[in-house]
Amino acid sequence: MLRTLSIRDVVLIDRLDLTFGIGLGVFTGETGAGKSILLDSLGLALGARAEARLVRGGAAQAVVSAEFDLPQEHSVLDMLAEHGIAVGRDEPLVLRRVLAGDGRSRGYINDQAVSVSLLRRIGDELVEIHGQFDNQRLLNTSVHRVLLDAYGGHGDLLAAVGAAHRDWRAAVDARKRAVDALEEARRDEEFLRHALGELDDIAPEPGEESELSRQRQGMMNGEKLLEAMNQAAKDLGQGRGVERMLRDAVRALEPMVEKTEGALKAVLEPLELAQENISEALLQLERASQRVDLDPNHLEQLEERLFALRALARKHNVTVDDLAVLRETIAARLAEVDDGDAGVRKLTHAQAAARKAYEDAAAALSAARVAAADTLSHAVMAELAPLRLGAARFSVIVAGGGDADAWGEGGWDRIAFEVATNPGAPPGPLGKIASGGELSRFMLALKVVLSKADPVPTLIFDEVDSGIGGAAAAAVGQRLARMADEVQVLVVTHSPQVAARGENHWRVSKSAAPEGVRTRVEELSRADRQEEIARMLAGERVTDEARAAADSLLQGTES
């Protein structure tokens, strides 16, 4: 709810700080005293359109701050979190607007700069202002469905419809993807079968390119390799041969090892090892020379396969190693063609079942809405007669079905609040049928019935009692007070019957000051309230009879 309102340099207000509480708060004062300035000031903080004329003459800028206590888990907290603004559990929410003399303005939420559009979105969730000619929230048909569902307690039904709609849309998307894939596969079927045949004929294997390249390189250098190995064998066997010379040297030294008490052992061991290594090297050299492939036919076959693999890879714009994967992909696509009709039929059945589930859920929600609409219509009608709207008719229209493309997570119904102000007249939208004064009273009747269903915590009525008096004005006051038991209600009024209902009462007045005319707002005591209500009853000259009548009104509301 609105806790405080701070106004600096707005029109005729230089400095004003107001503190609000729960219950019904009323603002009274002479016509032209400046009550509209209070609403314009609050509107600035709530993101309303800013005009340079609102800046007090001689001031550089106007500043308005509105502080709110938020109910726990209010939707505003999620909206703020989306924009990186965190509000603690016991922390107030402060909306502030700074308006320069040239008409430019800046918005802040808890001292963090924000766009005016965000300020307006937050403000719409916190305060609802009902004036005779304002574009009021309840005139927006998109809000009517939300209010009817809240009034009827349709939360579980809405959740079921939302889940069913998401399942249905997912089934529609899955079938569409399958149909598109099948159509694409059929368009490419001839190419795919030809490509699969080529891949099956060549049967590529992972890593085959590198192995073929290695073998090809070895065969291309085979003659040189064989020549080098033959030369090495020749060099090792030239003359007596390295292996024989080492063997002769070992034989010559072996008998002398013991006679020299082991002194030649250190010489003999490396010679023996060298002899073994040379023997092994000659053996491996012979084996390697035997493995050298100099067959030109084999080289030709190897190159043909390697080049065929590379050509096929270029054709499909993949690497040679990916040809095997490509083959599996093409085979899978062709399997979709072969099995596609069955798959699409299965998804079509799933889509139909999901739609049926949605239709069942939406029908249940629609039936609940029709029942709630009837209850709401009768409840609002019961409020109209005491407000001097007894001839009017209020109805909640629930139009279901329609184009399936318009069905959504909220169901298929279109909800509208309609009225007929004269007997026999056709009903129509609230904003087009009711006059300004009638519209305010219609809104009051609606708000009284919907006060628990509507999440907006602060309601402001601007001259909702315009054009009525006596019993009708008393009925307006009673309903405002009753509504204030559920939400915070502030009202600008010229009706003494309404003013007497207020738990808090402020008087708005103009006074001359050295710097010019100023608007003042003062909270009234019990005695001051009696005098103010007497003025409202008597006019310019307050009589004792008017004071007595005022006291009677106050006592009647206090009892």
Side-chain angles (χ1 to χ4, degrees), residues 318-549:
V318 297
T319 66
V320 172
D321 285 341
D322 286 336
L323 285 173
V325 176
L326 177 64
R327 191 265 173 209
E328 298 304 319
T329 301
I330 292 176
R333 292 185 63 185
L334 286 171
E336 290 178 359
V337 176
D338 297 335
D339 301 333
D341 287 334
V344 168
R345 284 195 300 272
K346 182 178 179 181
L347 291 172
T348 300
H349 291 320
Q351 176 182 320
R355 172 169 175 154
K356 179 63 167 57
Y358 172 80
E359 290 175 345
D360 291 344
L365 175 60
S366 187
R369 282 170 171 166
V370 170
D374 184 65
T375 303
L376 177 59
S377 297
H378 284 87
V380 173
M381 286 290 296
E383 298 291 334
L384 295 181
L387 298 175
R388 252 178 56 183
L389 291 170
R393 292 292 178 269
F394 174 85
S395 58
V396 181
I397 306 301
V398 180
D403 187 356
D405 290 338
W407 298 354
E409 293 191 17
W412 55 36
D413 298 311
R414 297 184 304 280
I415 313 297
F417 297 165
E418 294 189 349
V419 299
T421 55
N422 297 306
L430 274 173
K432 295 183 179 180
I433 300 298
S435 65
E438 290 172 333
L439 183 58
S440 292
R441 280 175 280 151
F442 268 115
M443 292 302 172
L444 175 59
L446 269 170
K447 295 304 297 185
V448 168
V449 176
L450 295 172
S451 59
K452 292 183 179 180
D454 197 342
V456 177
T458 298
L459 305 176
I460 299 176
F461 291 87
D462 184 15
E463 299 188 14
V464 67
D465 47 24
S466 177
I468 60 173
V476 168
Q478 291 170 356
R479 279 148 183 78
L480 289 169
R482 189 199 317 165
M483 200 167 18
D485 291 336
E486 302 293 339
V487 294
Q488 183 186 43
V489 180
L490 302 174
V491 58
V492 176
T493 182
H494 288 290
S495 168
Q497 292 91 339
V498 174
R501 289 280 177 179
E503 294 186 38
N504 302 284
H505 190 160
W506 292 270
R507 179 171 59 212
V508 184
S509 62
K510 276 184 186 176
S511 62
E515 62 276 13
V517 177
R518 293 288 180 265
T519 291
R520 305 297 181 196
V521 181
E522 56 182 326
E523 188 169 4
L524 302 182
S525 64
R526 173 62 167 75
D528 292 334
R529 291 189 68 197
Q530 180 182 355
E531 192 69 14
E532 174 66 4
I533 294 172
R535 179 198 63 75
M536 298 170 73
L537 287 165
E540 184 176 349
R541 182 173 177 273
V542 180
T543 64
D544 289 339
E545 291 81 0
R547 291 188 178 93

Side-chain angles (χ1 to χ4, degrees), residues 160-418:
V161 170
H165 185 267
R166 289 188 293 273
D167 290 344
W168 175 33
R169 296 317 308 172
V172 170
D173 292 341
R175 181 186 179 279
K176 184 179 184 305
R177 287 193 300 270
V179 168
D180 291 345
L182 181 59
E183 290 179 352
E184 181 181 358
R186 281 176 173 164
R187 286 195 302 269
D188 300 336
E189 182 177 3
E190 183 177 352
F191 165 77
L192 292 174
R193 293 200 184 280
H194 175 73
L196 183 62
E198 286 185 323
L199 288 165
D200 283 342
D201 287 343
I202 202 169
E205 297 180 1
E208 186 177 6
E209 181 186 24
S210 59
E211 177 60 23
L212 290 175
S213 296
R214 185 191 64 77
Q215 292 180 25
R216 176 173 176 264
Q217 187 66 30
M219 293 183 70
M220 291 177 66
N221 296 314
E223 292 184 0
K224 293 181 179 180
L225 179 60
L226 187 59
E227 181 181 344
M229 288 189 291
N230 289 335
Q231 183 63 45
K234 179 181 178 181
D235 291 342
L236 290 172
Q238 190 174 9
R240 294 173 57 202
V242 174
E243 184 182 13
R244 182 175 180 181
M245 287 190 294
L246 287 171
R247 185 169 60 250
D248 291 346
V250 169
R251 287 175 178 175
L253 292 174
E254 276 180 340
M256 304 304 297
V257 171
E258 293 182 0
K259 294 180 179 181
T260 58
E261 297 181 354
L264 292 177
K265 189 174 182 179
V267 176
L268 187 61
E269 288 180 353
L271 289 174
E272 290 176 340
L273 181 60
Q275 180 185 354
E276 292 175 2
N277 287 338
I278 288 296
S279 178
E280 179 65 22
L282 288 171
L283 178 61
Q284 295 300 329
L285 191 59
E286 181 181 357
R287 290 176 178 175
S289 63
Q290 292 174 353
R291 289 197 300 269
V292 174
D293 188 354
L294 298 180
D295 184 354
N297 292 328
H298 186 198
L299 176 60
E300 182 179 356
Q301 292 171 359
L302 187 150
E303 288 183 331
E304 284 180 356
R305 179 165 181 79
L306 178 61
F307 296 156
L309 286 169
R310 288 175 174 174
L312 194 57
R314 286 194 300 272
K315 178 178 179 179
H316 293 287
N317 196 28
V318 297
T319 66
V320 172
D321 285 341
D322 286 336
L323 285 173
V325 176
L326 177 64
R327 191 265 173 209
E328 298 304 319
T329 301
I330 292 176
R333 292 185 63 185
L334 286 171
E336 290 178 359
V337 176
D338 297 335
D339 301 333
D341 287 334
V344 168
R345 284 195 300 272
K346 182 178 179 181
L347 291 172
T348 300
H349 291 320
Q351 176 182 320
R355 172 169 175 154
K356 179 63 167 57
Y358 172 80
E359 290 175 345
D360 291 344
L365 175 60
S366 187
R369 282 170 171 166
V370 170
D374 184 65
T375 303
L376 177 59
S377 297
H378 284 87
V380 173
M381 286 290 296
E383 298 291 334
L384 295 181
L387 298 175
R388 252 178 56 183
L389 291 170
R393 292 292 178 269
F394 174 85
S395 58
V396 181
I397 306 301
V398 180
D403 187 356
D405 290 338
W407 298 354
E409 293 191 17
W412 55 36
D413 298 311
R414 297 184 304 280
I415 313 297
F417 297 165
E418 294 189 349

Side-chain angles (χ1 to χ4, degrees), residues 132-152:
Q132 289 192 55
F133 307 105
D134 293 332
N135 291 323
Q136 300 169 13
R137 178 171 169 269
L138 285 181
L139 299 183
N140 185 351
T141 55
S142 65
V143 176
H144 295 173
R145 191 179 75 183
V146 175
L147 292 175
L148 179 63
D149 286 335
Y151 177 77

Side-chain angles (χ1 to χ4, degrees), residues 45-68:
L46 299 177
R49 179 181 177 184
E51 299 181 20
R53 65 172 181 81
L54 294 176
V55 179
R56 182 176 63 82
Q61 63 182 21
V63 182
V64 182
S65 297
E67 179 182 309
F68 295 86

